[in-house]
Amino acid sequence: ANVARPLAGFGVAMIAVLWANDAWYCVTWIAGEMRDPARDLPRALIMGVVLLTAIYLAVNVAYLYSLPMSELQGVTRVAERAAAALAGPNGAAFVALTVLVSTFGCNNAAILAGARLLFAMARDGVFLPFAASVHPRYRTPHVAIVALSVWASLLALSGTYEQLFTYVMFASSLLHMIGAFGVFRLRRLRPDVPRPYRVWGYPVVPIVFIAASAAFVVNTLIERPQQSLAGLAFLGLGIPVYWYTRKQ
């Protein structure tokens, strides 16, 4: 079906691509711990996106250099196949090791950023209050860290890796689109709030971003309905928690 509809197939392929590039924005979650977020946050976002793009392009060029397209089609572990072609079994083993190290690094960053998101939400009264607790000795949001770890473990048991990142990217793209609408709303409702960084190309750039995100969300909903609905269900779990904490 995707061969007959190349745009739909492209959208499905982009799920994994966007997953590989996701979380570039997580630095905003720890802005409250920055000494000068007005200066450092835009720099971190721009540098992070540029470096990520450069690394991603370089890696893909290496794949295309090492193997013909016919040997890349349908391969799940492309990096391992490319490394084996370039350096033999030892190269494949080295790539597998770097993937493990990278995974641990990603987990570390996700725990640090995600726990502080729960902490900030609880402090602002839109999440369960216990998540705002700070450890008396280590000064870390220890309850939020444990809660995030438990939730991540439950998600890890809920499906395959591909199903999981499809859940995440469907929900993430939907939230990105809603956040872009927030740019217009905040400029209208709070025009006098200081804005150290203003969106380049406003309003064209946010509109293009919203349209692209909407197209991705709709395509994923059509092509991967079960995973998309599961992502919506996971998002829906937060609604009663939000209402409860707001009432409290």
Side-chain angles (χ1 to χ4, degrees), residues 60-233:
N60 279 272
V61 169
Y63 295 160
L64 295 173
Y65 175 79
S66 61
L67 292 171
M69 183 60 69
S70 59
E71 295 188 28
L72 292 174
Q73 293 176 346
V75 177
T76 302
R77 296 193 293 270
V78 176
E80 181 180 350
R81 176 74 67 83
L86 287 174
N90 291 333
F94 176 76
V95 168
L97 180 61
T98 59
V99 169
L100 287 175
V101 174
S102 177
T103 300
F104 280 117
C106 181
N107 289 339
N108 183 48
I111 291 173
L112 289 174
R116 278 153 181 77
L117 177 63
L118 297 181
F119 168 79
M121 291 172 62
R123 185 181 57 186
D124 292 344
V126 293
F127 192 64
L128 300 174
F130 65 81
S133 302
V134 177
H135 195 278
R137 178 181 177 183
Y138 299 110
R139 309 305 299 167
T140 56
H142 60 298
V143 176
I145 291 174
V146 173
L148 182 65
S149 300
V150 171
W151 178 243
S153 300
L154 293 175
L155 287 179
L157 298 174
S158 67
T160 64
Y161 183 66
E162 182 178 357
Q163 289 173 332
L164 285 173
F165 71 63
T166 303
Y167 302 157
V168 171
M169 287 318 306
F170 176 81
S172 182
S173 296
L174 181 62
L175 294 176
H176 291 343
M177 182 179 66
I178 296 172
F181 276 111
V183 174
F184 295 96
R185 180 173 174 81
L186 289 174
R187 285 205 179 192
R188 181 171 60 86
L189 297 180
R190 302 181 181 180
D192 299 327
V193 172
R195 289 176 169 82
Y197 176 81
R198 300 175 70 88
V199 178
W200 176 84
Y202 181 89
V204 176
V205 170
I207 291 174
V208 171
F209 180 84
I210 290 171
S213 298
F216 177 78
V217 168
V218 172
N219 186 73
T220 306
L221 187 61
I222 295 173
E223 298 295 325
R224 295 290 186 271
Q226 293 182 347
Q227 293 91 329
S228 300
L229 293 176
L232 285 176

Side-chain angles (χ1 to χ4, degrees), residues 25-45 116:
Y25 50 84
C26 288
V27 67
T28 61
W29 299 351
I30 58 173
E33 299 183 35
M34 292 182 177
R35 294 180 179 178
D36 190 358
R39 181 197 65 183
D40 296 336
L41 188 57
R43 290 182 179 180
L45 287 170
R116 278 153 181 77

